[in-house]
Amino acid sequence: MNQPHVHILMGTKNAGAFLSDQLASIRRQNHRDWSLWISDDSSIDSTWEGLLDFRSNTPEYDIRLLKGPNVGVAANYFYLLAQRELAGQWVAFCDQDDVWLPHKISRGVKLLKDRENSHVYSSRSFYVDAKLSGIGVSPEPMRPCLFGNSIVQNCLRGNTIICPPGVTDYLRSILYTTANAEIPFHDWWMYQALTGAGFSVIHDRKPSILYRQHNANVMGAPVSHLKHRLVHIAKGEFANWVDSNASAMLRLSSVLDAPARGKLLRFLDWRMTCNTRRRPTLNSMGIYRQTYVGDIALNLFARCGWL
């Protein structure tokens, strides 16, 4: 059976010693028909030299090195996705510091077969430390991965995403709305933009990557980075992320389906209500985290003014 060509999109910035492991794992993929496009955001370490070495040592593959816009991680991936040659193509997103398991691409492509115009693939991950020693495994979603969840939580991990052509073209068609928008995470934006327009998420129970946890992670495993996450919440950064995402979704209101548009507008009205005791619960509006404990915490954060 003919396998599709998959374009791997990697954003880099000061990848350090972790980059070589990720590049080696891409070369070990069971799915052999791939190209690797990398956008580097002004690295000041040896990242660019490492990329040049990898390209020269992997002449059988199309490896393109681009200079990124240098205005943040999300914009770097949007810049890659906007390359005109990617119209109608399969795309896989890749972080600079993980390790892909050999079945990463092949399994994602297999599970997307016959659902290329309506689904996006993501998977669980094995959590590992900086030296690739095991820490645990990411949880399975306990509730549907729908727009109501995407408003307050990201379940579409960018380092596992594979987009078939129909999804790629949809995302490319709305990239203009990201211009001058302060979007914190490209994958969270994708989760909202896709589920809000009626696309579905395949969340594979089988992990496809080793997700490296280290001090430079902005977001990491919920357990190993719990203190880090609480700091983000207490400082108001989580609320800022939610606001930025909601503003970005308003730009997409014309492509959101009616239920998603309604949830978004009700959430924005809820955010404007000063009296927290008179607010309806988020759950009553169809907005939820993946666990009941998460819902309790979310409502607590709202009462404390952290949401």
Side-chain angles (χ1 to χ4, degrees):
M1 182 179 64
N2 291 331
Q3 294 296 316
H5 182 86
V6 176
H7 292 77
I8 303 168
L9 307 184
M10 178 191 290
T12 59
K13 183 164 186 172
N14 299 330
F18 299 147
L19 180 62
S20 60
D21 289 335
Q22 177 65 292
L23 294 174
S25 73
I26 292 172
R27 193 152 41 190
R28 292 194 297 267
Q29 288 298 295
N30 297 332
H31 185 103
R32 308 301 296 173
D33 194 356
W34 54 263
S35 56
L36 175 61
W37 293 14
I38 303 168
S39 177
D40 183 73
D41 256 358
S42 303
S43 291
I44 58 175
D45 64 358
S46 61
T47 295
W48 190 255
E49 289 74 18
L51 295 173
L52 291 172
D53 286 344
F54 182 77
R55 184 174 65 178
S56 64
N57 292 324
T58 317
E60 67 273 28
Y61 288 99
D62 174 21
I63 298 174
R64 302 192 190 185
L65 306 182
L66 308 173
K67 294 292 188 179
N70 199 29
V71 288
V73 174
N76 201 19
Y77 282 100
F78 294 152
Y79 171 69
L80 280 165
L81 188 59
Q83 300 301 307
R84 67 178 186 275
E85 296 95 332
L86 295 182
Q89 300 298 312
W90 285 76
V91 166
F93 290 84
C94 181
D95 282 2
Q96 65 184 12
D97 50 2
D98 301 322
V99 172
W100 281 12
L101 299 175
H103 64 265
K104 168 70 175 72
I105 299 177
S106 58
R107 183 169 173 84
V109 168
K110 179 180 179 181
L111 291 178
L112 284 167
K113 184 184 177 184
D114 301 327
R115 293 183 284 188
E116 296 180 10
N117 294 319
S118 59
H119 287 69
V120 61
Y121 172 88
S122 68
S123 78
R124 300 173 75 190
S125 307
F126 287 120
Y127 295 138
V128 297
D129 63 18
K131 296 182 179 180
L132 299 181
S133 297
I135 297 174
V137 63
S138 64
E140 292 185 62
M142 298 180 66
R143 295 174 173 174
C145 294
L146 300 175
F147 185 74
N149 176 230
S150 77
I151 291 176
V152 291
Q153 185 177 15
N154 180 25
C155 288
L156 192 64
R157 291 295 184 185
N159 50 5
T160 69
I161 292 173
I162 298 178
C163 298
V167 173
T168 300
D169 285 347
Y170 164 69
L171 291 173
R172 285 172 47 82
S173 74
I174 59 174
L175 281 177
Y176 72 94
T177 66
T178 66
N180 301 316
E182 296 181 0
I183 296 171
F185 305 105
H186 66 286
D187 49 356
W188 199 346
W189 176 84
M190 289 170 61
Y191 185 32
Q192 294 185 332
L194 288 167
T195 56
F199 291 87
S200 298
V201 175
I202 296 174
H203 198 283
D204 193 358
R205 296 181 60 188
K206 184 176 181 179
S208 67
I209 69 166
L210 307 183
Y211 183 10
R212 200 190 302 254
Q213 308 295 299
H214 54 85
N215 291 335
N217 287 129
V218 175
M219 297 293 286
V223 174
S224 64
H225 282 64
L226 179 58
K227 182 178 179 181
H228 189 50
R229 287 168 178 245
L230 289 174
V231 169
H232 281 303
I233 292 167
K235 287 183 176 180
E237 292 177 7
F238 177 71
N240 290 337
W241 294 341
V242 171
D243 280 341
S244 296
N245 287 336
S247 295
M249 286 305 103
L250 271 180
R251 295 186 177 197
L252 289 176
S253 58
S254 63
V255 300
L256 299 180
D257 59 31
R261 189 161 51 249
K263 283 186 175 67
L264 176 63
L265 294 177
R266 286 193 296 274
F267 178 72
L268 291 172
D269 286 342
W270 179 91
R271 295 279 282 128
M272 295 296 291
T273 303
C274 296
N275 189 337
T276 59
R277 294 187 180 276
R278 292 192 174 185
R279 283 175 172 174
T281 64
L282 290 171
N283 284 153
S284 71
M285 298 189 295
I287 297 169
Y288 58 92
R289 300 276 293 185
Q290 281 294 322
T291 66
Y292 294 109
V293 172
D295 281 343
I296 292 171
L298 194 67
N299 284 294
L300 177 61
F301 298 156
R303 286 190 175 274
C304 292
W306 296 341
L307 177 62

